[in-house]
Amino acid sequence: MAISHDPWVWAAALLTLAIYSFLYKDNPFYKFAEHLYIGVSVGYFLYFIIWQQIVVPLIYDPLKVLFISPFHTKELLIIPPLILSIMMLGRISPRHAWMSRWPMAYVMGMGAGLAIPAYFQTNIFKQIEGTIISIPPATIEIVSTYYLNKLLVLIIVTCVLLFFYFSREHKGALGRITILGRWFLMLGFGAAFGYTVMARVSLLIGRLDFLLHTWLGIH
Amino acid sequence: MLIAILLLVVSQAGGQDTLAPFAPPTNIIAKDAPWDAGNKVIITWRPSIDKDSLAYYEIWRATPPFTKYERIGIIGSTDSLYEDHAILEDTVVIHEVTPGKQYRYKLRGVTPDGRFTILSEPSNIAIPRIQAFNIYRLNVLIAFILFTALFLYSIERSKRGFKFFIRRIPGLDALDEAVGRATEMGKPVLYSSGLNPIDSISTIASMCILGEVARKIARYESRLIVPNIDPIVMTVAQEVVKEAYLSEGKPHLYREDDVFFLAAQQFPYAAGISGIMVRERPATNLFIGYFYAESLILAEAGNMSGAIQVAATDAIMQLPFFVAACDYTIIGEELYAASAYLSGRPDLVATIKTEDWFKMILLILTYLGSIIVLLTKSNLFLTIFKVTGGS
């Protein structure tokens, strides 16, 4: 057993224990770790994301180019988003807060607009293409299993899709199908739960390995 | 003479490679890929007559003045088509095709033991052009037009006074109960809109629900806490909550400090919310939006604090955790229907009706497609759902 002499390992280990202490109850150690974590996260965000990835390459550098050559086409493109960004800062003053609604409306509208064709492609067309019972490719060896799988997918999709049908009360035949749909959903959730819990357990093992092996030197 | 030719050939091929006595591919043709954003060139060729002795071809590209060629890729020796397009490595463009720029290509064969043929004759000059319309996504346009037409029709009907029926959604009904409980206990309601930015559909849906929840809270004169991970989402949330308090005639109860930026990253955000849950002791936690691995941390911390919890997300992998740790879970599509359901506004309810019609059309198409495919014994019908090709 050889306890680590690296101060950073000690810092990481003690912060890990401080975060885990929340499992018992809220306490000053957890509060310290939480506030440190949030502070570091905000500091990182401000410097590495806002400053290094946005302000310098997307605002400062193009403005510098424009200052030297005012009609540089590519750099001129930053002007509309820059105006929208400045309007966003209007929130600082209550008198000019209304200005921030324009960039917000733009971002939300653009987000929804861009998402619609993408949703059609990935969430609708790709799914339907995969659900339709198709002729198996030549590489498939057991054709009957292929068709059975396809039929199962079609039935499950039908039941689940009808579960999300809102225009009619789920009674009678529709009610029975939607109950089946709910069961299929729960089966899927169960599988996803198990799969993710396994991944989380491996994270826990990693952390325990760090505490026992790297920090305390227990092999 | 022979030595001179060999030297010339070797220098053309890079000067350091061993020459193979095989013919390179011929008839190299380069053309702009149709219906794209001008970022792809298609190169075709007639394979080498010695293709059986070759392992693969190397593709070389030059830009004006076409004196220096550089290797851009490799492809199997039996292939006769290569697509030259942008290549990204960790979001950094390491190879690009620029619209309007001239490109020429040459090929050479490589043997399994690493020897090279001479470079082929150059291709014609190809200039990639931007096309405004992508024919490969015509199906998306048709579906979009159909959906919009149905949408406008149902809104028009609702404007004429037609009442669309919407079934009960238990998770959404629970919102009333959850807000009421917080009011009775004199404790705040905590609302998290998830991790996605404002241009995500789930966050937009979450903001619509936040408006309805804030209205109820304002009506009951309770307190609403909204920690955010994204500054833009925070700004929108502030506007939404302020507007809700204003519409209920209680602007004086709105506290801007309660809709705040908490942390910029996933786990600090989760740690911060867990802290709020144990210190502020909200009676109700609402997790409505798109969540990732922090979902179970949030839901478990809330569960431990004894709050009533309602979650709504379309993040399929996180739904099981919410189902396990929350009192009510609004699943996937129900999240999108929520704002219309809660507001009860006929024009919004009409949008849910449109979605239902569209679902039925898709279901019919799926069954019809399966029947056609099985009867014709061909997958041709599936091509109407294909969205590949072009970019």
Side-chain angles (χ1 to χ4, degrees):
Chain A
M1 191 169 128
I3 295 175
S4 171
H5 297 293
D6 185 340
W8 290 111
V9 170
W10 273 82
L14 293 176
L15 285 170
T16 304
L17 292 177
I19 291 283
Y20 276 150
S21 70
F22 184 74
L23 290 170
Y24 170 59
K25 68 173 190 178
D26 191 30
N27 61 72
F29 298 110
Y30 176 75
K31 273 184 198 161
F32 171 75
E34 176 202 328
H35 288 99
L36 183 71
Y37 202 10
I38 292 175
V40 168
S41 143
V42 173
Y44 178 88
F45 175 72
L46 283 175
Y47 182 71
F48 285 102
I49 310 292
I50 300 289
W51 183 254
Q52 283 208 329
Q53 290 182 22
I54 298 173
V55 176
V56 173
L58 300 180
I59 301 172
Y60 177 75
D61 288 345
L63 281 179
K64 207 166 67 179
V65 173
L66 277 181
F67 188 72
I68 297 160
S69 125
F71 297 104
H72 204 281
T73 329
K74 197 179 162 193
E75 270 66 30
L76 277 173
L77 288 174
I78 70 143
I79 291 174
L82 190 62
I83 292 170
L84 287 172
S85 309
I86 293 166
M87 286 171 79
M88 199 75 184
L89 295 176
R91 293 193 63 77
I92 296 168
S93 142
R95 258 185 69 201
H96 301 101
W98 60 270
M99 289 201 317
S100 66
R101 291 184 174 193
W102 285 80
M104 277 193 273
Y106 170 76
V107 172
M108 288 178 81
M110 183 205 66
L114 285 175
I116 289 168
Y119 265 57
F120 270 114
Q121 288 171 43
T122 55
N123 290 15
I124 297 178
F125 286 158
K126 276 280 171 201
Q127 304 303 324
I128 296 216
E129 192 190 338
T131 308
I132 289 176
I133 299 176
S134 55
I135 302 299
T139 48
I140 296 288
E141 285 178 9
I142 309 168
V143 176
S144 56
T145 318
Y146 173 85
Y147 280 120
L148 189 68
N149 277 336
K150 279 284 187 182
L151 186 66
L152 207 58
V153 169
L154 184 61
I155 291 168
I156 292 172
V157 168
T158 307
C159 295
V160 173
L161 202 61
L162 288 174
F163 174 79
F164 291 107
Y165 189 75
F166 300 111
S167 304
R168 186 174 280 193
E169 206 66 75
H170 287 177
K171 284 179 182 166
L174 181 66
R176 283 190 285 277
I177 293 171
T178 55
I179 287 171
L180 209 56
R182 195 160 59 214
W183 274 99
F184 286 135
L185 277 173
M186 292 306 147
L187 274 173
F189 292 160
F193 190 92
Y195 172 78
T196 316
V197 164
M198 287 302 286
R200 298 292 168 85
V201 169
S202 89
L203 288 177
L204 175 69
I205 291 169
R207 215 60 263 190
L208 291 177
D209 180 61
F210 168 76
L211 290 175
L212 297 173
H213 179 211
T214 315
W215 181 43
L216 296 175
I218 300 169
H219 293 280
Chain B
M1 181 66 185
L2 186 67
I3 292 167
I5 292 169
L6 274 175
L7 279 174
L8 182 73
V9 165
V10 168
S11 68
Q12 190 188 17
Q16 294 167 351
D17 311 313
T18 315
L19 201 64
F22 302 121
T26 53
N27 199 24
I28 319 295
I29 297 167
K31 61 177 181 183
D32 172 30
W35 312 110
D36 71 346
N39 50 14
K40 193 192 288 178
V41 175
I42 297 171
I43 306 120
T44 56
W45 58 88
R46 189 175 299 137
S48 163
I49 48 169
D50 301 313
K51 63 176 187 287
D52 296 337
S53 307
L54 299 171
Y56 58 89
Y57 297 126
E58 286 182 348
I59 321 290
W60 293 62
R61 186 179 81 172
T63 50
F66 305 114
T67 48
K68 193 178 173 204
Y69 280 79
E70 60 172 22
R71 197 175 74 160
I72 58 162
I74 59 168
I75 195 160
S77 62
T78 51
D79 289 312
S80 57
L81 186 145
Y82 182 84
E83 289 183 347
D84 180 20
H85 53 76
I87 298 171
L88 291 173
E89 204 171 87
D90 293 333
T91 71
V92 177
V93 180
I94 56 165
H95 173 79
E96 63 183 338
V97 175
T98 312
K101 205 168 175 177
Q102 296 183 344
Y103 295 102
R104 269 185 127 154
Y105 298 85
K106 285 182 179 181
L107 273 78
R108 71 176 182 184
V110 183
T111 61
D113 58 1
R115 289 177 299 148
F116 299 88
T117 67
I118 57 167
L119 278 168
S120 67
E121 285 297 309
S123 72
N124 56 307
I125 294 172
I127 306 172
R129 303 262 183 223
I130 299 172
Q131 274 89 35
F133 191 78
N134 183 351
I135 196 83
Y136 299 112
R137 291 181 191 171
L138 182 66
N139 48 7
V140 175
L141 179 69
I142 292 169
F144 179 72
I145 290 170
L146 176 69
F147 185 74
T148 310
L150 284 173
F151 179 63
L152 293 175
Y153 171 71
S154 53
I155 286 183
E156 194 54 41
R157 273 187 85 184
S158 76
K159 274 185 185 167
R160 287 183 190 162
F162 188 84
K163 291 259 184 286
F164 290 114
F165 171 80
I166 295 291
R167 75 167 166 85
R168 228 183 110 249
I169 303 174
L172 293 176
D173 289 341
L175 283 175
D176 258 337
E177 179 196 333
V179 173
R181 183 176 182 260
T183 312
E184 281 168 13
M185 294 174 75
K187 288 182 174 177
V189 173
L190 186 135
Y191 189 104
S192 168
S193 60
L195 262 59
N196 270 7
I198 196 64
D199 56 359
S200 150
I201 292 289
S202 4
T203 311
I204 295 173
S206 176
M207 289 297 115
C208 296
I209 298 169
L210 175 63
E212 297 301 327
V213 169
R215 214 162 277 143
K216 283 186 210 301
I217 290 170
R219 209 174 301 143
Y220 298 149
E221 301 192 356
S222 197
R223 187 181 161 208
L224 174 65
I225 301 173
V226 189
N228 291 280
I229 195 168
D230 185 296
I232 309 283
V233 175
M234 179 200 74
T235 315
V236 176
Q238 282 177 340
E239 278 295 315
V240 167
V241 176
K242 193 175 172 184
E243 185 69 35
Y245 276 77
L246 203 66
S247 69
E248 288 299 318
K250 296 180 180 162
H252 57 285
L253 292 178
Y254 169 66
R255 292 164 60 171
E256 196 166 82
D257 290 347
D258 278 347
V259 185
F260 57 94
F261 176 75
L262 179 62
Q265 284 167 322
Q266 182 183 23
F267 290 112
Y269 179 71
I273 291 191
S274 303
I276 293 169
M277 283 171 181
V278 290
R279 274 158 236 148
E280 299 277 350
R281 292 260 161 204
T284 300
N285 296 327
L286 305 175
F287 307 115
I288 298 175
Y290 202 94
F291 294 84
Y292 296 84
E294 74 293 346
S295 62
L296 189 59
I297 300 173
L298 298 178
E300 265 307 309
N303 204 353
M304 279 163 64
S305 74
I308 185 169
Q309 305 199 99
V310 181
T313 188
D314 53 348
I316 296 164
M317 288 305 282
Q318 307 310 323
L319 272 167
F321 299 111
F322 284 137
V323 170
C326 292
D327 299 277
Y328 297 95
T329 309
I330 295 157
I331 300 168
E333 170 101 24
E334 291 176 345
L335 167 67
Y336 307 136
S339 58
Y341 182 85
L342 290 171
S343 69
R345 274 173 49 190
D347 52 338
L348 290 181
V349 171
T351 63
I352 301 180
K353 189 73 192 172
T354 312
E355 282 178 32
D356 280 352
W357 283 337
F358 204 66
K359 276 176 223 158
M360 285 306 103
I361 291 172
L362 295 176
L363 208 54
I364 291 166
L365 269 176
T366 310
Y367 276 91
L368 196 70
S370 300
I371 294 166
I372 291 172
V373 166
L374 291 175
L375 286 179
T376 58
K377 291 187 174 25
S378 154
N379 286 337
L380 199 65
F381 183 81
L382 297 181
T383 51
I384 67 169
F385 298 107
K386 288 222 182 290
V387 285
T388 50
S391 59

